[in-house]
Amino acid sequence: MIKDFKKTAILTSQGEISYRSMLQHIDHFATHTPKGADKKTVIFSENREGWIYAFFSIWKNGGIAIPVDASSTAQDLAYILKDSGSQCIWTSDEHIQVVQEAISLSGAQVRMLNIDNYENAGIPESGEGAPEPSTWSRREEDTAVIIYTSGTTGSPKGVMLTLGNLMANIRGVSDEVCIFNNERRALILLPLHHVLPLQGCMIAPILLGGGVAISPGMTGPEIMNTLCRGKVAIFVGVPRLWQTLYTGIMKQIEAKAVTRALFRFCAWAKSPALSRFIFQKVHKKMGGNIQFCVSGGAALDAEIGRGLETLGLNLLEGYGMTETAPIIAFTRPGDYIPGCVGLPLPSVECKIIPSEMGTMEEGRVVVGELCAKGPNVMKGYYNRPEETAATIDGDGFIHTGDLARFDEAGRVYITGRCKEIIVLSNGKNVQPAEIEAKIEKYSTYVHEAAITQKGDMLCAIIVPQTEWAKDLTDQQAEEIIKKEVLEPYNHTVPQYKKVMTLCIFRGDLPRTKLEKLQRFRLKDILEGQYAGEPVDEAPIEEPDSEEYRILKQYIEGEKKLTLRPTDRIETDLGMDSLDRISLQTFIENTFGVQVSAESLLGFRDVSALALHIQENKTRMEVEEIDWNRLLSFPENPEDSNTECEQCTRRTSPLMSVWAKMMKGFISLYNGLTIIGQENIPASGPFILAPNHQSFMDGPVAMAGLTSEQIRNSFFYATEEHVRGSLRRTLARRNNVIIMERARLKESIMEMASVLKRGQNLIIFPEGTRTRTGFVGEFKKTFAILATELNIPIVPVRISGAYEAWPRSKKLPSPKPVKVEYLKPIMPKAEQEDYDALANRVRKAIVGE
């Protein structure tokens, strides 16, 4: 528990909050939160420190917290407000409009509180006697939270979890199996309305004194930065997150023969210590403090599980449900087995009972429905005694609806489901009947519908209205239903309930004599093995453009599917927000086309997106290029067939004259200080890599070079800096290589030829002047050249130039400027990717 109230409780992108400050904020929130054991308060907000204050303020006042998905529609929120009888709702600026609409729809009297109005309130430091949150006058039998989850009826049910339910889980992963403690900080990444992150990412680490670090977003850089800054020890994620992480790592490993061989060797050796040593670079990128990677919410693919273990990550997989707060079983440290969810929680008793979908051997149940009993089992469904009784039997065992088996050690293996609920890899539960009812309301087009799972997407099998579709081909019917049915439906539901792909079926869906849908046969329809499947359509003609081919290759590689030009980004390809960010980055890096992740949904289909790229591209270079092969042309230009213009261009003596004149002017006007000239190699080739503060950075960067070195040095400039034919001609004749975005490859080859001739390059890795005075991100062009040609990089730290001549001023002011040449950096002998080398140079300049 908490002993040091000065210790950091919450780390955000803005700063750190101590336990004392957190408790004072909770007290402040509690003055506005309803008081009393029967008072229910909803939290409807994105992850943030105020979410934590709101939650614990409800507990402090003895009330019941109801976390709700912040992506819910007003209709979904209104249902929960009305069903729960909540008196109050904590929300944020971002969600006020949805909340106001939901309150109006519910017809309930609900007080709205805005986290933004209280989160940053000035709270003075008080004395030492701050109360620990674990002692806030709560009995273990009190209902502490109600979490709404989909049920068999199709409408969400409120799962009542007591403080005892929650604490049974926490004791199981701290006292009984020591995973959480006061030295291990957890990452808050997943939405806190889920019971898994609520418990594992917030309640447990806060109560046990380890603290939390809140990631500001779901992008790779945001996550990695938070892991590093927060020195995170416990990383909780869902299978989709681990899949994304693993895929990204394996792309880099598969790119080089040596890393592929090392990975295979570690997979064979099965030594965690060896794996951590060999892949220490992976661990350092994740902050170097990760002790446990926890996967829950859905089954983790066995290949990914084995792969993460091979990388030396200590993987724990948990199994449970909202109704068990959430853990039923989890793998113990050092005992990960792919496909196994480990031993039951120490306080939980598990058994399997016969199921019509299970198996029996010699009168013994080998595979059956898993049932669990223990202090973690919910109090019941709110105001639903009949459904509670149907789920928890008279002996206190909860029926999970999952098929399972045990091994000889008592470990649990989940083999399937005997419920209809679909569990996606992001941990979301989807009730197909609920979606089917909504889609069938579009009765002009839809006769009947069935929702099933296709890969990691929801797929609608739709039987079109016979009269409406009789003169349409399946492809024509599909396009109309996408536009008139699926898109309107998708705009009314959260992301995880969206239907992303469609199958037209002309015939009757398989049903029993009692008209119950035979869901196990839906897969046969998708695979064309069920009678009545429509004939195959003629193949769709694909655009004949290089842009489309590059785009197709990328999407098929990322989504593991066969792309059609008529596929839509969301409806057919199932691209969620993470996928769209990745696609956005790929398009910008490859074609130079700026397109936001959200605007991707505005394109009719992939062919329209490819046409937009074709019309607006400024370059066309796939990032995964083999630079080693490309830059391996002969050093002597006379022996080369390359079209590299720079290979035949000579240096200009005017460069040295101009540089010396500018150095004299800056020395007199600003007072130029030069440090570290001994770090400049006496002979080339080398790359100078300065930070970029102002217009004067070019001559400042050369101030410490000799006249001979200046004559043999070339600048790398973007085409924006040399607009107009006269300026371009002068630049090309005076030691400037122009980077044309449409000819990026050729530009880099020009620079490579300069280095191969023993001459030098001056490259500003940021690519543009700073707007804030701080060093920006480094582009990796210089790192590519240094790595593939084994050239030293001299980091150059320029200071004072921003104050003397910032972007906002037309003329410089007489403020002192300093240039410092740092020790040369060589590419590492062992394999090091370009980004890592660029980051090493940047850290040297900023002094990290």
Side-chain angles (χ1 to χ4, degrees):
M1 294 300 177
I2 305 164
K3 296 181 180 179
D4 181 6
F5 288 97
K6 295 180 181 179
K7 184 178 180 181
T8 298
I10 306 169
L11 182 142
T12 72
S13 57
Q14 286 77 41
E16 300 180 8
I17 298 99
S18 69
Y19 265 95
R20 175 169 290 111
S21 179
M22 179 192 74
L23 292 169
Q24 289 167 344
H25 276 88
I26 291 169
D27 286 345
H28 181 57
F29 272 55
T31 61
H32 303 279
T33 301
K35 295 179 173 63
D38 61 336
K39 301 299 183 183
K40 306 179 193 72
T41 301
V42 167
I43 307 176
F44 187 75
S45 165
E46 68 280 6
N47 290 352
R48 57 192 296 174
E49 60 191 88
W51 203 108
I52 300 173
Y53 302 152
F55 182 87
F56 284 119
S57 75
I58 298 167
W59 276 18
K60 179 178 176 62
N61 287 349
I64 300 170
I66 305 178
V68 177
D69 186 353
S71 68
S72 297
T73 63
Q75 291 83 357
D76 288 339
L77 178 59
Y79 170 84
I80 293 173
L81 290 173
K82 186 174 182 179
D83 186 75
S84 65
S86 297
Q87 293 85 17
C88 180
I89 181 169
W90 279 103
T91 189
S92 64
D93 283 343
E94 186 177 338
H95 303 287
I96 283 178
Q97 186 174 350
V98 174
V99 171
Q100 290 173 335
E101 184 180 349
I103 293 174
S104 176
L105 289 171
S106 70
Q109 296 296 316
V110 180
R111 183 159 59 99
M112 183 174 68
L113 296 171
N114 189 345
I115 289 174
D116 288 275
N117 294 339
Y118 302 96
E119 184 178 65
N120 297 313
I123 299 174
E125 290 285 333
S126 62
E128 295 293 329
E132 293 192 25
S134 59
T135 63
W136 281 333
S137 302
R138 299 298 302 256
R139 300 176 303 170
E140 291 218 343
E141 61 268 27
D142 289 342
T143 300
V145 295
I146 297 177
I147 298 179
Y148 275 80
T149 183
S150 295
T152 56
T153 64
S155 58
K157 301 191 296 287
V159 177
M160 296 184 292
L161 298 175
T162 66
L163 184 64
N165 296 151
L166 300 172
M167 294 309 297
N169 270 256
I170 293 174
R171 284 190 291 268
V173 294
S174 58
D175 297 343
E176 295 159 346
V177 181
C178 187
I179 296 171
F180 290 85
N181 61 31
N182 61 2
E183 299 297 327
R184 294 172 181 162
R185 182 176 288 147
L187 176 72
I188 292 182
L189 176 67
L190 304 175
L192 290 173
H193 68 275
H194 286 297
V195 69
L196 171 63
L198 179 68
Q199 278 272 67
C201 303
M202 193 197 80
I203 298 177
I206 289 287
L207 294 187
L208 296 171
V212 299
I214 304 176
S215 176
M218 295 286 287
T219 66
E222 289 171 320
I223 295 171
M224 294 306 170
N225 183 52
T226 307
L227 291 174
C228 294
R229 287 183 59 246
K231 298 180 179 179
V232 170
I234 301 174
F235 187 175
V236 179
V238 292
R240 176 59 188 278
L241 179 65
W242 297 120
Q243 178 186 351
T244 302
L245 175 69
Y246 178 69
T247 301
I249 294 172
M250 289 307 296
K251 275 186 179 179
Q252 298 183 39
I253 289 176
E254 292 292 340
K256 297 175 182 177
V258 64
T259 48
R260 289 198 301 270
L262 286 171
F263 184 82
R264 288 194 295 270
F265 177 72
C266 287
W268 171 81
K270 291 183 171 57
S271 169
L274 176 65
S275 292
R276 284 192 292 270
F277 174 75
I278 289 178
F279 295 107
Q280 56 186 287
K281 182 178 172 183
V282 173
H283 292 258
K284 286 180 181 177
K285 281 189 174 181
M286 297 175 68
N289 293 280
I290 298 291
Q291 296 186 40
F292 298 110
C293 293
V294 181
S295 179
L300 181 68
D301 184 88
E303 178 187 349
I304 295 172
R306 281 191 292 264
L308 292 172
E309 286 275 303
T310 299
L311 294 170
L313 295 170
N314 195 347
L315 183 65
L316 307 178
E317 186 170 4
Y319 163 77
M321 53 199 303
T322 303
E323 289 86 342
T324 56
I327 303 173
I328 292 176
F330 65 99
T331 54
R332 303 308 195 256
D335 189 38
Y336 175 75
I337 302 172
C340 174
V341 296
L343 293 165
L345 198 71
S347 59
V348 171
E349 176 187 353
C350 287
K351 68 178 182 179
I352 54 176
I353 62 173
S355 168
E356 62 182 23
M357 299 179 69
T359 57
M360 302 278 292
E361 287 183 5
E362 299 178 353
R364 180 176 62 89
V365 179
V366 175
V367 175
E369 183 182 5
L370 181 67
C371 298
K373 178 181 180 180
N376 61 326
V377 175
M378 68 172 179
K379 188 175 183 178
Y381 295 117
Y382 182 69
N383 280 343
R384 300 201 182 193
E386 292 182 359
E387 293 189 37
T388 300
T391 304
I392 304 174
D393 64 27
D395 295 325
F397 279 91
I398 187 166
H399 293 240
T400 67
D402 289 314
L403 297 170
R405 66 176 179 86
F406 300 135
D407 67 10
E408 63 280 358
R411 300 184 190 91
V412 180
Y413 292 75
I414 303 300
T415 63
R417 296 187 63 80
C418 46
K419 287 185 176 180
E420 293 182 348
I421 293 176
I422 296 171
V423 181
L424 301 174
S425 68
N426 60 7
K428 295 283 190 179
N429 292 345
V430 177
Q431 172 54 252
E434 175 188 356
I435 299 175
E436 289 159 0
K438 291 181 178 180
I439 288 178
E440 287 176 353
K441 288 182 180 179
Y442 295 87
S443 55
T444 302
Y445 311 99
V446 180
H447 173 62
E448 58 178 339
I451 299 299
T452 187
Q453 193 170 359
K454 185 178 182 181
D456 195 31
M457 299 181 287
L458 293 181
C459 174
I461 300 174
I462 291 182
V463 177
Q465 290 289 2
T466 305
E467 191 62 28
W468 168 75
K470 66 179 181 181
D471 296 323
L472 301 174
T473 66
D474 286 353
Q475 182 182 335
Q476 290 170 332
E478 181 178 323
E479 289 300 313
I480 294 172
I481 289 176
K482 283 178 185 176
K483 183 178 179 180
E484 302 295 336
V485 178
L486 294 192
E487 289 183 4
Y489 162 78
N490 283 344
H491 288 151
T492 67
V493 296
Q495 180 68 35
Y496 72 98
K497 289 185 180 179
K498 292 183 178 181
V499 177
M500 299 302 192
T501 187
L502 169 64
C503 171
I504 297 294
F505 180 70
R506 297 187 190 253
D508 294 326
L509 293 177
R511 297 180 182 276
T512 66
K513 291 182 178 180
L514 298 177
E515 289 298 303
K516 186 175 181 180
L517 187 63
Q518 295 178 311
R519 296 188 181 276
F520 68 94
R521 302 184 70 179
L522 297 179
K523 184 179 179 181
D524 294 338
I525 294 178
L526 294 180
E527 294 177 352
Q529 298 176 0
Y530 183 74
E533 183 190 18
V535 296
D536 292 336
E537 294 287 321
I540 302 171
E541 185 176 351
E542 294 188 315
D544 185 23
S545 72
E546 187 64 15
E547 292 82 1
Y548 174 80
R549 283 190 286 271
I550 292 174
L551 196 61
K552 177 181 179 180
Q553 183 178 12
Y554 170 81
I555 294 174
E556 288 185 340
E558 288 294 310
K559 299 299 292 182
K560 304 296 186 294
L561 47 70
T562 301
L563 181 75
R564 300 180 304 174
T566 55
D567 284 341
R568 301 185 182 208
I569 299 296
E570 183 181 49
T571 310
D572 296 306
L573 303 180
M575 285 197 167
D576 59 18
S577 56
L578 280 177
D579 294 324
R580 294 198 297 273
I581 290 171
S582 297
L583 179 58
Q584 170 202 12
T585 303
F586 174 80
I587 291 172
E588 290 181 2
N589 290 345
T590 305
F591 304 104
V593 176
Q594 298 288 326
V595 53
S596 71
E598 293 306 317
S599 67
L600 288 170
L601 302 181
F603 291 95
R604 182 187 71 252
D605 50 30
V606 176
S607 63
L609 175 59
L611 180 61
H612 174 78
I613 292 170
Q614 185 178 353
E615 293 173 346
N616 294 278
K617 71 177 185 296
T618 58
R619 62 176 179 268
M620 191 162 67
E621 287 292 339
V622 180
E623 191 172 349
E624 292 76 18
I625 190 168
D626 187 351
W627 289 111
N628 181 268
R629 179 186 59 79
L630 190 68
L631 301 181
S632 296
F633 54 82
E635 295 183 17
N636 186 348
E638 295 178 359
D639 298 333
S640 175
N641 293 323
T642 178
E643 297 178 1
C644 169
E645 174 188 340
Q646 192 63 37
C647 294
T648 58
R649 195 195 317 151
R650 297 292 180 258
T651 59
S652 168
L654 294 178
M655 176 64 79
S656 179
V657 175
W658 173 78
K660 292 299 181 182
M661 289 176 58
M662 291 301 300
K663 176 183 176 181
F665 172 78
I666 295 170
S667 297
L668 289 172
Y669 186 71
N670 296 91
L672 178 63
T673 302
I674 304 173
I675 300 175
Q677 287 173 280
E678 69 276 7
N679 291 321
I680 302 173
S683 59
F686 58 82
I687 298 174
L688 285 188
N691 58 308
H692 203 355
Q693 292 198 330
S694 76
F695 275 126
M696 65 175 67
D697 291 345
V700 168
M702 292 189 293
L705 273 59
T706 66
S707 296
E708 181 66 22
Q709 287 173 326
I710 293 173
R711 279 197 300 271
N712 284 288
S713 296
F714 287 79
F715 274 98
Y716 181 46
T718 62
E719 54 191 341
E720 288 86 353
H721 293 118
V722 284
R723 297 184 189 277
S725 58
L726 178 60
R727 294 177 71 180
R728 280 176 176 263
T729 301
L730 288 173
R732 291 188 182 280
R733 292 180 179 178
N734 290 278
N735 296 39
V736 177
I737 299 172
I738 302 173
M739 188 277 281
E740 300 178 27
R741 298 190 186 281
R743 299 176 63 251
L744 178 60
K745 180 175 67 176
E746 289 79 3
S747 299
I748 294 179
M749 291 177 69
E750 289 181 19
M751 290 188 287
S753 69
V754 165
L755 294 169
K756 288 187 174 189
R757 292 212 312 266
Q759 295 168 314
N760 316 311
L761 283 173
I762 303 173
I763 304 177
F764 292 99
E766 293 165 274
T768 186
R769 288 168 292 150
T770 177
R771 294 182 180 274
T772 63
F774 296 102
V775 179
E777 292 186 6
F778 276 18
K779 296 177 172 60
K780 59 188 178 184
T781 302
F782 77 106
I784 292 172
L785 292 164
T787 300
E788 302 305 341
L789 302 180
N790 198 33
I791 301 293
I793 302 168
V794 180
V796 182
R797 182 187 296 147
I798 298 174
S799 54
Y802 175 74
E803 289 75 15
W805 202 355
R807 278 175 174 265
S808 57
K809 290 188 177 182
K810 293 184 178 180
L811 296 173
S813 58
K815 295 183 178 180
V817 176
K818 182 170 72 173
V819 58
E820 183 176 0
Y821 299 92
L822 307 176
K823 291 183 178 181
I825 291 177
M826 288 294 297
K828 290 184 178 179
E830 65 270 20
Q831 296 294 336
E832 178 184 38
D833 65 29
Y834 309 133
D835 288 320
L837 177 57
N839 194 41
R840 272 208 292 150
V841 176
R842 184 184 181 279
K843 285 184 176 181
I845 292 174
V846 300
E848 292 183 356

